[in-house]
Amino acid sequence: LFCDIREFTTYSENHTPQEIVTLLNDFFPIVVQSAQKHNGMVNKFGGDSTLIIYGAPRDVEDSAYQAVLTALEIRAAIKELNTHLEKQGKLPFRVGVGINTGVALAGAIGSNERQEYTVIGRTVNLAARIDGLNKQFPQYDILISGWTYMALGKHSEHLHTTHLGAVPITGMKDPVEIWAVIDKV
């Protein structure tokens, strides 16, 4: 699962570094708590984005569903935070999420002086690209691949989703089936 703040560059252009840090310090705890509640592990922060992994370093039952539940929890918490921000006269912000399910290599990368645990592979790259599709589909904030939709299995009955079709993805040979998650049923 990749998650980031929409229009963050524009926000950064119009706010002080202190205001940006305040926003991030409101945002990241929401992401971390939502991930932990649904057995995800926050792997890294990158500016305004977050990578959450499921199934490494330990197995997670129904990992695709847990990832979608995380995204829905993030959405609900951001809505609540935005209500609070608006009461303070501050602008609300939007978040986008991209989820893909598949096999990735988990392990340490880096040099002898500095290493980090992460996941590598097409599955991870595609999740990041799906998160980026939120710009192409601004009316939706949670997008999942067809592989994630299939991995939901019986849990797909508990979700209201919209099929967006096969979408060309930068750097990918073939278009990828994309679904928008609207809400839980």
Side-chain angles (χ1 to χ4, degrees), residues 37-89:
K37 181 176 178 181
H38 297 287
N39 301 309
M41 182 187 82
V42 173
N43 181 246
K44 68 179 69 180
F45 300 114
D48 67 307
S49 70
T50 310
L51 167 59
I52 303 170
I53 57 178
Y54 299 82
R58 59 183 170 74
D59 288 337
V60 173
E61 189 173 325
D62 296 322
S63 61
Y65 188 55
Q66 295 302 313
V68 170
L69 291 176
T70 299
L72 290 168
E73 181 121 352
I74 290 168
R75 176 198 284 159
I78 294 298
K79 183 177 180 182
E80 190 175 309
L81 175 60
N82 279 335
T83 299
H84 180 69
L85 291 173
E86 288 176 319
K87 286 179 183 175
Q88 296 176 353

Side-chain angles (χ1 to χ4, degrees), residues 11-13 15 22 34 56 58 71-72 83 87-88 91 98 117-118 129 134 157 163 172:
Y11 182 89
S12 297
E13 285 291 313
H15 292 82
T22 297
S34 299
R58 59 183 170 74
L72 290 168
T83 299
K87 286 179 183 175
Q88 296 176 353
L91 292 174
Y117 179 84
T118 194
R129 296 290 187 186
N134 280 283
E157 299 168 8
H163 184 235
M172 301 286 166

Side-chain angles (χ1 to χ4, degrees), residues 168-182:
I169 305 286
T170 303
M172 301 286 166
K173 183 174 65 172
D174 298 315
V176 175
E177 294 293 324
I178 301 294
W179 296 76
V181 177
I182 309 305

Side-chain angles (χ1 to χ4, degrees), residues 153-159 185:
K154 67 184 184 310
H155 296 295
S156 65
E157 299 168 8
H158 306 292
L159 298 169
V185 177

